[in-house]
Amino acid sequence: MKRVRVVVVGAGVVGFSTAVCIAEALPPCSVTLLGDRFSPDTTSDGAAGLMFTAQFPDVPLETQRRWFQLSFDHLLHIAQSEVAPEAGVMLSSGWQIFRDVPAEQKPFWSDFVIGFRFMSDGELKRFPDHKFGHAFTTIKCECSSYLPWLEKRFRKAGGWVEQRRVESLQELSSSYDIIVNCSGLGSRELASDEAVQPVRGQVLKMKAPWLKHFIRDGDGMTYIYPGIHSVIVGGTRQEGDWRLQVDEGDTRSILERCSRLEPSLRRARVLSQWVGLRPSRRNPRVERELLQLQGRSMPVVHNYGHGGVGVTLAWGTALDALGLVRQSLHEMQRQAKL
């Protein structure tokens, strides 16, 4: 059987994770990744990249547990290896705090992070407006380093990379045999999926090398994430907002909220500001369909709609997407024998 041509659309953390999984697991395939923007200009590049997640309403909990565990194990292996600085992956310890005791005190991912426990009364004294909290060690993945590292790994596995804007899946049908759609917000056009909505996020990078522990308010709006070279502070979650310009009002709000949690930030210097649009969906779409493109039936594997947890779930959903590509290959081989 001739070499099967696979194309992955999207150069963010979900796209590159999926491309690497396919190229490394299926060497008989020729794998090309197409993206209109690459690091450092992707939405993933601005992601805070701290591993934890909310629960999606309609995805089986066991599936969500698997996605999280596979992603955590993958990044933990990198964090504990010699390539950790190049890949931008590190362990990070800290606190998630809540103004009121949440209905679900122990989230489903607590089994997979390191040393998860409830905060003591003594620890909570530091945050007088908060009544409950989690302390744990997780992983921080900085995509401005991780994406170029993944691209290098992809090329080493024989993958091809091309900068190109894809206007329609139709235009790929004559050059490829399997399409893998990891286009995030672009799936509104490419997959005609208006369930994908932008959620605007604004963050600041600050110079505060004395900060070593993350602090995250349980509402997801206010967070302080120390990284390798700077501290990310945020943020905003503005649904349906397409603005990519920095909003000075948001900047002031972020600095005020974060400084209430960590007063020493008032002495820190702002290095840069960033805005990105998270590709949000009620549930991520990880599934396969057969589409009629230019008169031929083509398998299209979708892997998009992760919202603000792309880094957290990318490797787990990429492995599921790999399974769907394998399924397509088996069906193509069966038809070739008929």
Side-chain angles (χ1 to χ4, degrees):
M1 188 175 173
K2 68 182 176 75
R3 208 161 187 225
V4 176
R5 302 161 300 172
V6 179
V7 61
V8 178
V9 182
V13 67
V14 174
F16 262 116
S17 298
T18 305
V20 167
C21 286
I22 296 169
E24 290 183 349
L26 301 174
C29 291
S30 161
V31 187
T32 302
L33 183 140
L34 304 178
D36 61 339
R37 289 177 298 147
F38 285 79
S39 183
D41 300 319
T42 72
T43 301
S44 299
D45 278 283
L50 198 78
M51 279 200 76
F52 61 87
T53 184
Q55 191 169 321
F56 292 101
D58 307 317
V59 178
L61 191 55
E62 277 311 304
T63 300
Q64 298 186 58
R65 287 172 63 86
R66 188 181 75 250
W67 287 347
F68 189 95
Q69 183 173 18
L70 289 168
S71 299
F72 193 90
D73 290 349
H74 160 74
L75 288 173
L76 182 62
H77 175 74
I78 296 170
Q80 295 173 336
S81 76
E82 65 181 36
V83 301
E86 181 192 355
V89 181
M90 58 180 273
L91 288 169
S92 181
S93 301
W95 306 282
Q96 177 170 231
I97 52 177
F98 298 84
R99 292 180 182 273
D100 297 296
V101 179
E104 186 181 54
Q105 295 184 26
K106 197 174 181 197
F108 74 87
W109 45 263
S110 60
D111 296 336
F112 307 119
V113 297
I114 299 166
F116 180 93
R117 61 179 174 79
F118 297 151
M119 290 172 67
S120 67
D121 291 341
E123 288 172 306
L124 282 166
K125 280 181 182 173
R126 180 178 174 185
F127 308 108
D129 294 334
H130 296 75
K131 298 176 182 172
F132 181 81
H134 304 142
F136 56 95
T137 297
T138 186
I139 295 164
K140 189 173 192 300
C141 176
E142 304 192 337
C143 282
S144 55
S145 299
Y146 183 59
L147 286 178
W149 182 82
L150 274 182
E151 180 174 347
K152 195 164 97 174
R153 183 167 160 177
F154 176 59
R155 290 178 184 272
K156 187 179 176 185
W160 295 85
V161 174
E162 181 184 335
Q163 184 156 12
R164 168 181 165 190
R165 180 172 179 81
V166 178
E167 302 288 351
S168 162
L169 297 183
Q170 297 275 354
E171 69 192 62
L172 304 175
S173 60
S174 58
S175 304
Y176 302 100
D177 304 302
I178 300 173
I179 298 171
V180 184
N181 171 33
C182 303
S183 62
L185 208 49
S187 293
R188 286 173 61 85
E189 285 74 41
L190 291 184
S192 301
D193 187 355
E194 293 195 358
V196 195
Q197 293 286 337
V199 175
R200 182 180 177 275
Q202 181 168 320
V203 299
L204 316 178
K205 276 188 181 176
M206 302 189 75
K207 188 171 181 61
W210 58 88
L211 295 183
K212 305 298 181 188
H213 294 85
F214 71 81
I215 304 170
R216 179 183 190 268
D217 195 299
D219 65 8
M221 291 292 294
T222 307
Y223 46 84
I224 301 160
Y225 297 155
I228 296 172
H229 302 296
S230 61
V231 178
I232 297 278
V233 303
T236 64
R237 294 190 59 81
Q238 295 152 332
E239 297 182 12
D241 190 332
W242 290 87
R243 290 176 303 142
L244 284 167
Q245 302 78 24
V246 168
D247 184 309
E248 293 304 328
D250 287 336
T251 298
R252 288 191 294 273
S253 171
I254 289 166
L255 287 171
E256 179 56 37
R257 285 183 277 124
C258 290
S259 296
R260 280 203 296 270
L261 295 181
E262 178 52 72
S264 69
L265 277 173
R266 298 189 191 279
R267 298 292 180 93
R269 180 161 59 90
V270 175
L271 298 173
S272 62
Q273 303 183 64
W274 179 89
V275 175
L277 306 179
R278 306 174 183 99
S280 190
R281 199 171 182 273
R282 179 176 167 86
N283 306 284
R285 187 183 184 193
V286 187
E287 64 183 18
R288 189 181 79 113
E289 66 176 338
L290 290 173
L291 290 181
Q292 290 296 319
L293 301 174
Q294 306 286 11
R296 62 185 286 224
S297 179
M298 283 194 71
V300 178
V301 173
H302 297 287
N303 184 13
Y304 66 84
H306 297 60
V309 293
V311 172
T312 296
L313 301 181
W315 199 259
T317 63
L319 288 168
D320 274 16
L322 166 63
L324 296 171
V325 171
R326 272 204 175 101
Q327 182 185 338
S328 301
L329 284 174
H330 292 324
E331 290 185 5
M332 291 164 74
Q333 287 166 351
R334 270 207 315 271
Q335 288 168 358
K337 290 174 183 174
L338 294 177

